[in-house]
């Protein structure tokens, strides 16, 4: 039996009213040519009405602007976490973030011919499709099947619950964002602002377009501050938990998994044997034979210097510039897993064999490559610590000649001079890195690379970082195969990297239970009706974007 209106829950009543509004709107949209009879004209009455219209219009403009800029959305509370209010605009941000993340992940996987298996249809709004993912969702009050909207609501609520409760815990323990953290956030915002302006948007207008009305710079900054503080808290607790390991426990962890922590110094010259046609067996055999011939010529050398020279002698004209650098084939302080990913598992197995000695060499033929391998230093335990630096990379132009490279050096020197003429602080360097660095991997983070270990970076960059005389605040220029790096030294950690890894792994194992405990104790007061209204607004904007995209295509 159908429920009467007064028996409906608040959420059910809202859904009923929403369906009626949609139906009424659809019916109105279907009517055409409707005429309205007007009363006889009364001039005096018309003047009064005109004045009223002007006043009402002014009020409507004011109200419209308020809604346009999202003031109600920022004031309307939809849930609380441990008493901390979450506005409609904030919930919009987290809901849309959950949706955008899923869409981006599915798109990324599809580029490689893979599927997430979730079944999300990006041509429909989340509320318009039944949920078929693997995560268990709470049954709906109306008895209808769960939709993808229900899933994204849950994701948003859980993310808010976790982030707010952890931030509150961080505050209790005296962990807070510092000047450098705020500078990094400023850099991220500035990068988005510049991108928005290039497309004729203000930052607020861009954020409204992406996340919804009411999501402006203030809301976005708050979300960035939350996520930054959560990461900072997790890092601090992970380090704290790992630091509790005894030296005996560290040694035991190393002994049980030496392959993860031992490193080698090795030279590898790789010859690709891939051909344009996988069906041409003759071409493939010829390519392999030529590669093996060159590889054998290289390892015929008596020592490391001979190996380096043989690599240069066998390089093609296109490869000559690359292998003119004596370090081009050198992999220093590299672990077994990293060597395997850069070459092949067969190469890694041979190099890390316990019987290997310095000067051992071999040719290993794989499915698509031939490797000339020369072992410089057999497996050992690196006792070096880690370094944290910032840098600004100015890339060499492709095929750069001496004049072009000198221009790059001059540009890098000018940036260093600009830094030295200013405040000479880390935050000032971070701002320059965000504005000028051409390293896509670090420019958005103020050029920051934390906890660099031996074998991670190109050798000239690494040698500068690990100079024994290096002190906090040191600057300089480093030239590598990529270009010129403007360097800023932040700090050093003298604990051996392998020990840091072991302690971090232990802390990472235990941090999950800490986070679960904090989140599990959090109290969430959720206004289901308001939350669903916000989700509906998000879905409406998603459907509008889908329709626009379909129309434009």
């Amino acid at each position: 039996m159908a429920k009467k209106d007064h028996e409906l829950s608040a959420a059910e009543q809202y859904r009923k009213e929403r369906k009626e509004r949609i139906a009424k709107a659809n019916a109105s949209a279907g009517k055409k040519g409707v005429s309205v009879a007007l009363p006889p004209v009364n001039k005096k009455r018309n003047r009064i009405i005109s004045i009223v219209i002007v006043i009402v219009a002014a009020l409507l403009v004011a109200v419209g602007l308020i809604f346009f800029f999202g003031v109600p959305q920022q004031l309307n509370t939809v849930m609380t976490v441990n008493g901390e209010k979450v506005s409609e605009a904030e919930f919009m941000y987290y809901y849309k973030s959950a949706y955008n993340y899923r869409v981006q992940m599915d798109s990324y996987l599809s580029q490689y011919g893979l599927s997430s298996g979730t079944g999300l249809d990006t041509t429909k709004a989340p509320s318009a499709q039944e949920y078929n993912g693997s995560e268990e969702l709470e049954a709906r009050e109306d008895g209808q099947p769960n939709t993808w909207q229900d899933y994204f609501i849950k994701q948003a609520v859980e993310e808010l619950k976790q982030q707010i409760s952890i931030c509150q815990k961080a505050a209790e323990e005296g962990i807070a964002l510092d000047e450098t953290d705020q500078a990094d956030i400023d850099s991220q915002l500035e990068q988005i602002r510049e991108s928005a302006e290039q497309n004729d948007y203000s930052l607020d207008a861009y954020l409204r377009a992406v996340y919804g009305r009411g999501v402006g710079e203030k809301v976005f900054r708050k979300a960035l501050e939350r996520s930054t503080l959560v990461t900072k808290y997790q890092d601090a607790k992970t380090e704290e938990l790992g630091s509790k390991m005894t030296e005996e426990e560290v040694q035991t962890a190393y002994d049980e998994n030496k392959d993860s922590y031992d490193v080698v110094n090795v030279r590898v010259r790789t010859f690709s044997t891939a051909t344009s046609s996988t069906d041409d067996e003759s071409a493939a055999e010829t390519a392999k034979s030529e590669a093996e011939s060159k590889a054998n010529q290289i390892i015929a050398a008596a020592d490391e210097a001979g190996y380096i020279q043989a690599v240069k002698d066998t390089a093609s004209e296109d490869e000559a510039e690359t292998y003119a650098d004596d370090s081009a084939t050198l992999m220093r302080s590299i672990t077994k897993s990293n060597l395997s990913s850069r070459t092949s598992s067969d190469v890694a197995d041979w190099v890390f064999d316990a019987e290997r000695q310095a000067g051992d060499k071999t040719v290993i033929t794989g499915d698509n490559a031939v490797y000339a391998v020369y072992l410089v230093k057999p497996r050992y335990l690196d006792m070096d610590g880690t370094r944290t630096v910032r840098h600004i990379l100015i890339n060499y132009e492709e095929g750069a000649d001496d004049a072009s490279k000198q221009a790059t050096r001059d540009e890098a020197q000018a940036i260093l001079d600009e830094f030295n003429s200013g405040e000479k602080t880390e935050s000032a360097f971070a701002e320059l890195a965000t504005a000028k660095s051409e390293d896509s991997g670090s420019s958005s983070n103020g050029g920051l690379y934390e906890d660099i270990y031996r074998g991670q970076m190109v050798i000239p960059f690494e040698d500068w970082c690990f100079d024994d005389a290096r002190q906090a605040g040191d600057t300089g220029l480093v030239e590598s195969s990529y270009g010129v790096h403007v360097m800023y030294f932040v700090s050093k950690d003298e604990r051996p990297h392998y020990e840091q890894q072991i302690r971090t792994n232990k802390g990472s194992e235990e941090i999950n239970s800490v986070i679960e405990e904090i989140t599990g104790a959090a109290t969430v007061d959720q206004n289901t009706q308001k939350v669903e209204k916000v989700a509906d607004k998000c879905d409406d904007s998603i459907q509008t974007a889908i329709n626009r995209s379909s129309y434009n295509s």
Side-chain angles (χ1 to χ4, degrees), residues 485-503:
H485 310 256
V486 184
M487 307 294 297
Y488 182 95
F489 191 81
V490 178
S491 63
K492 63 177 73 175
D493 188 335
E494 296 292 11
R495 295 174 303 163
H497 174 54
Y498 87 92
E499 180 183 334
Q500 293 181 46
Q501 283 183 293
I502 289 172
R503 292 185 183 277

Side-chain angles (χ1 to χ4, degrees), residues 395-450:
N395 285 319
Y396 288 139
E397 293 182 2
E398 187 174 351
D401 56 17
D402 290 342
S404 176
K405 287 185 177 181
Q406 186 57 50
T408 301
R409 296 185 193 104
D410 293 342
E411 184 180 350
Q413 183 64 57
I415 293 172
L416 181 57
D417 292 342
E418 180 182 348
F419 171 74
N420 285 328
S421 66
E423 297 176 358
K424 295 200 287 190
T425 62
E426 183 183 348
S427 59
F429 191 94
E431 289 180 12
L432 275 175
T434 299
K436 299 180 181 294
S437 182
E438 295 172 353
D439 175 20
S440 59
S442 70
S443 60
S444 63
N445 198 26
L448 182 66
Y449 279 108
E450 295 181 286

Side-chain angles (χ1 to χ4, degrees), residues 448-553:
L448 182 66
Y449 279 108
E450 295 181 286
D451 301 323
I452 296 168
Y453 53 86
R454 287 280 193 184
Q456 182 181 5
M457 300 295 192
V458 289
I459 288 175
F461 186 105
E462 192 175 285
D463 285 345
W464 187 91
C465 295
F466 282 88
D467 188 315
D468 290 338
R470 195 66 59 219
Q471 297 294 322
D474 282 357
T475 57
L477 299 180
V478 172
E479 203 163 345
S480 75
S481 57
Y482 294 102
V484 182
H485 310 256
V486 184
M487 307 294 297
Y488 182 95
F489 191 81
V490 178
S491 63
K492 63 177 73 175
D493 188 335
E494 296 292 11
R495 295 174 303 163
H497 174 54
Y498 87 92
E499 180 183 334
Q500 293 181 46
Q501 283 183 293
I502 289 172
R503 292 185 183 277
T504 298
N505 291 341
K506 179 66 173 177
S508 297
E509 291 172 5
E510 297 187 2
I511 189 64
N512 292 330
S513 61
V514 173
I515 297 304
E516 287 174 7
E517 183 179 346
I518 294 170
T519 306
T523 301
V524 177
D525 185 9
Q526 178 181 333
N527 186 316
T528 304
Q529 184 176 353
K530 285 186 176 182
V531 163
E532 289 184 350
K533 282 185 177 180
V534 177
D536 279 340
K537 290 179 182 179
C538 292
D539 283 9
D540 288 344
S541 68
I542 289 170
Q543 188 62 60
T544 298
I546 291 170
N547 293 343
R548 187 181 295 120
S549 175
S550 177
Y551 176 79
N552 290 337
S553 62

